[in-house]
Amino acid sequence: MSIETGLAGDMEPVAATGDAVRVEKLSISYRAGRALVPVATEVSFAIAAGQTFGLVGESGSGKSTVARTLLAKLRAGSSITGGRVLVAGQDVFGLDPARLRALRGGTVALVAQNAGQSLTPSMRVGTQIHEALTSHGLRADRADVLRALDQVRLPNVKDLARRYPHELSGGQQQRVGIAMAIAARPSVLVLDEPTTALDVVTQAAVLRLVKDLSRELQTATLIVSHDLGVVSGMADQVAVMRHGRILESRPTAKLFADPEHEYTRQLLRDVPTLGARSRAEAVAPVAGGGTNQDPEPPSGTGNQGSDVLLSCENVSISYHASGPPAVDSVDLEIRRGETLAIVGESGSGKSTLAWSLAGLTAATSGTMRVHGDTGTGGDLARPVARRSRELRQLVQLIFQNADTSLNPRRSVAAAIRRPLRLFGTVARARERGRVEELLTEVGLPASFGKRLPAQLSGGQRQRVGIARALAAAPELIIADEITTALDVSVQADILELLSGLQKSHGLSTLFISHDLAVVADVADRVMVMKNGRLLEVGDVADVFSGPNHPYTASLLAAVLEPGDLELPQSPAEEQDWIDDNPGGWLEPSPGHLIRTWKGAGNR
Amino acid sequence: MKATLRGAGPAFTIGIVLILGNVLLALLAPWISPYDPVASDSAAALQGPSGAHWLGTDMYGRDILSRTLNGGRYALQVTFLATTIAVAAGALLGCLVAYLGGWFDDVVMRVVDAILSVPTILALLVVVSVLGSGMWVIVLAVVVVYTPAVIRVVRGAARSVKSLDYVTAAKARGERAGPIVVREILPNVSDVVLVEYAMRASWVVLLISTLSFLGFGANPPAPDWGLMVAENRTALTVVPWATLGPVAALASFVIGLHLTSDGLGKRLGVDRAMTGVK
Amino acid sequence: MPLLILRRLGSAVLTIVLASLLVFLAIQALPGDVVQQILGRDATPEAVARMRSELGLDTPVFLRYVQWLFGALQGDFGTSLVSGEPVGPNLLLHFRNTLLIAVPTVIISVTLSIVLGVVAGLRRGKWADHSISLISLLAMSIPEFMVAALLVLAFAVGIPMFPAVVLDGPQASLAQLLPSIWLPVIVLSLAMAAYIIRMTRTSTIDVMTSEFITTAELKGLRRARVVMRHALPTALLPTLNVVAINIAWMLGGVVVVENIFNYPGMGNLMLEAVFNRDLPVIEAIAVVSAAIYVACNLLADLTAMALDPRQRFRPRARRGAGAQPGPKASPAISTVERSQP
């Protein structure tokens, strides 16, 4: 398919240099009161047609601000303090209103991070695509709209065009966003964290789609991400940004093979990877009784006795009497000192299970027995109000979002002191000293006790969250996506802290995550959940080396790692298996259990 | 608190000055008024502004300036009492309802809806017609009418706080409802409550004056802004200040409250205009 | 969706019934004996007892309420203690007259305030915004009785365009009343518009800073289209609720305005009834007002469903919502909760 540059806007043809985009010594400042705070400083790069350029950096590095200048968009209060942005040879900030409209959506198109929020809620999807075409003087009848939706490989486009954004899944919304962006055949595509809000499998499929489309349309593409794996798979050239400056900008392969800047090297060290663990192929579906089929549910491997801290049997949790349960007959076992990870995408029931163990949601059926060190124990199927003090103390929860897990009106010391007081862990006179000890233990100065949560960084808040959990002197820590909201370097520190504390205190951990690489890093054993059901459980080494349940295999295949220059080939986005009810379990190696399945009928 | 209020803007400062000015004048009125506000002098009736009577006199020859200065005492007193009680009760109940949820929430909110469905002035008139128009009856009536509205607003704010992780953390520790409401929820809706207070007060003072205007609030010959307007509006062209004086005072107080709550809202991130209506 | 509408309808009816019960109890259970009031302090106990049974006051409160409710459902609100005539027809007449003020007020103030509110929101920080905001601040701060007095001075005394007070009785024909409605309409419109303007302005500002508006702008759409098609449907949602509540508020506002202009509407009837402690009339007016309030809110909800597809499916989940992990709720305060009076 051939593309005419500047089809919609009457722009000059591509400048002699051949670069579709040139950013020259761009500096942007934000006005805060009387001071000018620099957001970007002397940023320069160029993108040729058909090339993809990656901007990678942690939050606050200024990467999104720079990306949006390609559409001549600045946040209110920001201004250009130096340099210029040339698209097709023209300075975008010098355009008159008509040409600016032609640039936006016509020459340069944006795919934003959260399609759920960037589609207009009160307009049908088809209408929004339609206006993207007509506003750039393109002929657009119903067939053109459907073709645009078809191009991003959406199913049932006729029906879909009539729907409202909230009636679509996250992946579908993002595809609509892409369809809208490429509708007017732009020559430059700006992708601002395009897959951050998506599950791994969907992410891989969406990235594949974008890469194919940008190749097909020969666009100059700018991709902005905090995820080194995403940039590595997408971009031909990558620039690393920090504090508004580009630290190094090199071809992707070279950058990942031999990073020059110390910060880049640090980033690459901090990113957890699956590492040497090989990508596994799924074992063949089993139609009937295999020899190694185990009819017993996987309640561990006969490790009964004192080294089992928590054993759950047949746990189901439903929020509504009708409808499928959020957690469906799950068995699990955590041994003393062990880290068990649960992975799964959103809606898999992993957080519900964790919250139930913490007593926040009562289990609908099943037992959850905990056997404490000191002879304490009991059934965690009871909600927190009906648990004994010892039982409540035994299990402590650490939250995903450190910003909201601390009461903004209470000091750090007050937050940590509360469980001390409630559980009577230490005498009142010793409370102050204990708070300081705990702060030191999580790597914070004791003087931080006086601060309010707003005076701490995200990583520091998460440390306080950990200290608060430790204050109760628990035996089981439930960590619910505790590093999801953090930058990689901070994530690495927190994970290290947690594993250190776990060893020194003899804690067991239930680690909930959607990130397989993190799990590979921290867990001893791993459980894979989908739609509330347990699909696979086993030692991390076994699960990551396979054989696997096809779902686990698709998860593993979708992982993007820094240095991988290719995206996974055609990831299986459609589920190609169905549950084999009532189903048995395969045990390819001791302790590694896989639920049996059947191939989907329509294949 | 000082740190919270810094950066609320010049409008906020003007608002505070207007409120404090009105309150101060009302408090000091007995000492700074040139005349006894209820002493009539038929020889000096309906006079224009002069050196002796800066704002003139009304039809009974009473000094308008003295009556205006004293005219806020009743309204401000009732406003302060009623608003304080209504907002305190509403804030506590609103948090409790939001936290407990379930049937308790259903029942309370149903009653709240029912009370809110009767227009405030009608509800007030119903109470006054049954119990008379003593000051405490009016305070009680305003509390009954406005507490449900405060419950509603605070409940809305508290429900979003309730789903935050620090409340969940407290629940998981096994804290009881009391400490959770008092320690975790209430402090985090205090900004909403503060803005609500300023705005509620502005409506209450208007309502009280309206009630006096209609003849159900302060009793003649007591000096009161609403009553003064009722008494003097027919003579608006003869002694304009007898009507304009009290209205200017009342309006400046209400504007002060609006500016203050706007400033507070802006500074604390509470959307004041979202609270909308009387 | 039909189920959702049905549920809203059911809860609306329940609210009206509950409101009528509260008013009934407030009037019947609070101290102060009506009969004693009517007959005076010197009445003999026999006369009091006879009248009590005539008025049916010797039956238990709850039974009386049920009787009253059944009567009210058939349009029978009892008889006035003062005139001895049935309450219903008289109330209907006054209600008609009040509608004559209310309908133009709603039309004028809603149109005007939505236009001004959106303009102020779009021109945030410019002079148009500042002047609109200032005028609405003044309109909110000056009591209606004063605005009315000033208008009378200007347009009835100064330039005699409109009558200052109404001299016709409640039975006057609409044509007779028509010249006298305009001053009351202006007074009520000013007060009502002020609040709707503020709400519309805020929600316009909110929506204009949202992600989907940025996306629409960056699609290269014309500003007019961005505002009209993308922003307005969402921006007007919270305004709807405020409009509904203000319409109900106006029923209170008419008390003052009708008093000043001596307009023979429901508000004046109410004041008269309160002066005379004519309880059946007070009760009937309170219940009619409650019904209007609830109906306005219901209408606002239904309009919201029409405007915003998301409202049609959102279950009004109350229980357990806080205990579910999942998308963490934003700490922002829900607009709907905050738009209540």
Side-chain angles (χ1 to χ4, degrees), chain C residues 101 105 148 151 162-164 166 179-190 254 257-258 261 263:
Chain C
I101 307 184
T105 303
L151 284 178
F162 303 107
V166 185
S180 43
I181 67 169
W182 299 109
L183 288 183
V185 164
I186 295 173
V187 174
L188 288 174
S189 297
L190 274 178
V254 293
V257 172
E258 290 182 357
F261 292 99
Y263 185 89

Side-chain angles (χ1 to χ4, degrees), chain A residues 68 71 73 100-101 104-106 108-110 112-114 117-123 127-129 131-132 135-136 164 166-167 180 319-320 351-352 355 360-361 400-401 480, chain C residues 210-223 225-226 229-234 306-314 317 319-320 322-326 328-329 331:
Chain A
R68 294 196 171 203
L71 293 110
K73 175 78 182 171
L100 185 61
R101 272 205 310 279
R104 293 174 169 176
V108 187
L110 172 76
Q113 170 174 356
N114 195 334
Q117 283 165 20
S118 51
L119 294 174
T120 301
S122 57
M123 281 172 86
T127 319
Q128 300 194 43
I129 304 256
E131 66 175 10
S135 62
H136 292 286
Y164 290 98
H166 73 278
E167 298 171 87
M180 216 160 74
Y319 286 122
H320 307 287
S351 283
T352 303
W355 280 46
L360 294 163
T361 319
Q400 166 177 359
N401 201 335
D480 185 7
Chain C
S210 67
E211 192 88 0
F212 63 84
I213 294 300
T214 310
T215 308
E217 269 171 10
L218 295 185
K219 257 158 93 175
L221 302 182
R222 285 176 191 283
R223 182 150 176 92
R225 188 175 171 88
V226 172
R229 288 298 311 271
H230 291 259
L232 276 195
T234 311
L307 267 183
D308 184 359
R310 284 170 301 178
Q311 309 265 337
R312 291 171 214 163
F313 301 92
R314 185 181 294 160
R319 247 155 280 191
Q324 284 178 35
K328 307 293 188 240

Side-chain angles (χ1 to χ4, degrees), chain A residues 280-290 292-294 530 533-537 546-554 574-588 592-601 603:
Chain A
E281 292 299 309
V283 293
V286 175
N292 52 356
Q293 205 164 350
D294 180 0
K530 165 124 177 135
R533 309 192 81 176
L534 176 58
L535 295 185
E536 185 165 348
V537 59
N548 292 112
H549 189 280
Y551 176 66
T552 315
S554 71
E574 302 277 312
Q575 182 175 318
D576 57 359
W577 52 273
I578 53 173
D579 265 343
D580 175 24
N581 281 323
W585 294 85
L586 306 172
E587 190 166 4
H592 182 189
L593 294 155
I594 301 172
R595 184 185 282 273
T596 55
W597 72 96
K598 291 189 287 211
R603 286 221 318 168

Side-chain angles (χ1 to χ4, degrees), chain A residues 164-189:
Chain A
Y164 290 98
H166 73 278
E167 298 171 87
L168 308 181
S169 71
Q172 287 174 331
Q173 287 171 342
Q174 196 57 280
R175 278 165 197 268
V176 170
I178 294 167
M180 216 160 74
I182 60 163
R185 303 270 172 251
S187 52
V188 179
L189 201 53

Side-chain angles (χ1 to χ4, degrees), chain B residues 106 129 149 153 262 275-277, chain C residues 195 198 246 277 318 338 341:
Chain B
D106 283 342
S129 70
V153 170
D262 275 356
T275 45
V277 256
Chain C
Y195 289 97
R198 286 177 68 93
N246 267 292
R277 295 178 61 96
R318 276 191 169 165
R338 296 229 82 207

Side-chain angles (χ1 to χ4, degrees), chain B residues 11-71:
Chain B
F12 174 77
T13 318
I14 297 173
I16 289 284
V17 168
L18 286 176
I19 295 175
L20 288 183
N22 270 293
V23 170
L24 212 63
L25 286 180
L27 285 176
L28 297 178
W31 293 279
I32 58 172
S33 300
Y35 295 89
D36 178 354
V38 294
S40 53
D41 175 5
S42 49
L46 293 175
Q47 286 183 353
S50 65
H53 301 279
W54 290 3
L55 295 183
T57 57
D58 68 4
M59 58 186 127
Y60 303 109
R62 296 175 296 200
D63 180 52
I64 292 170
L65 177 62
S66 303
R67 284 182 71 75
T68 304
L69 284 172
N70 282 280

Side-chain angles (χ1 to χ4, degrees), chain C residues 97-319:
Chain C
N97 295 345
T98 293
L99 273 187
L100 194 61
I101 307 184
V103 172
T105 303
V106 171
I107 294 172
I108 293 172
S109 64
V110 170
T111 330
L112 195 72
S113 55
I114 286 181
V115 170
L116 291 179
V118 169
V119 168
L122 293 177
R123 302 236 175 274
R124 183 185 192 184
K126 309 265 172 60
W127 71 266
D129 177 26
H130 287 311
S131 40
I132 291 172
S133 297
L134 186 70
I135 291 170
S136 55
L137 178 65
L138 285 177
M140 278 189 300
S141 305
I142 301 176
E144 293 94 48
F145 53 79
M146 191 59 222
V147 177
L150 287 176
L151 284 178
V152 167
L153 189 67
F155 296 108
V157 181
I159 316 162
M161 289 167 65
F162 303 107
V165 289
V166 185
L167 300 171
D168 305 297
Q171 281 86 7
S173 73
L174 295 184
Q176 280 172 305
L177 288 173
L178 205 58
S180 43
I181 67 169
W182 299 109
L183 288 183
V185 164
I186 295 173
V187 174
L188 288 174
S189 297
L190 274 178
M192 207 171 138
Y195 289 97
I196 307 177
I197 288 176
R198 286 177 68 93
M199 183 73 228
T200 312
R201 174 181 179 272
T202 310
S203 86
T204 303
I205 290 173
D206 262 13
V207 170
M208 289 307 288
T209 53
S210 67
E211 192 88 0
F212 63 84
I213 294 300
T214 310
T215 308
E217 269 171 10
L218 295 185
K219 257 158 93 175
L221 302 182
R222 285 176 191 283
R223 182 150 176 92
R225 188 175 171 88
V226 172
V227 171
M228 301 300 290
R229 288 298 311 271
H230 291 259
L232 276 195
T234 311
L236 291 186
L237 279 180
T239 307
L240 268 175
N241 238 293
V242 175
V243 169
I245 290 161
N246 267 292
I247 291 176
W249 165 82
M250 200 179 62
L251 293 173
V254 293
V255 172
V256 180
V257 172
E258 290 182 357
N259 172 266
I260 291 172
F261 292 99
N262 193 33
Y263 185 89
M266 208 164 72
N268 243 343
L269 185 67
M270 174 82 190
L271 280 177
E272 215 174 280
V274 170
F275 269 117
N276 299 328
R277 295 178 61 96
D278 194 347
L279 301 184
V281 176
I282 298 176
E283 213 167 286
I285 293 175
V287 171
V288 168
S289 306
I292 294 170
Y293 171 92
V294 171
C296 288
N297 272 296
L298 189 65
L299 205 65
D301 279 5
L302 296 182
T303 317
M305 284 187 195
L307 267 183
D308 184 359
R310 284 170 301 178
Q311 309 265 337
R312 291 171 214 163
F313 301 92
R314 185 181 294 160
R316 298 211 150 187
R318 276 191 169 165
R319 247 155 280 191

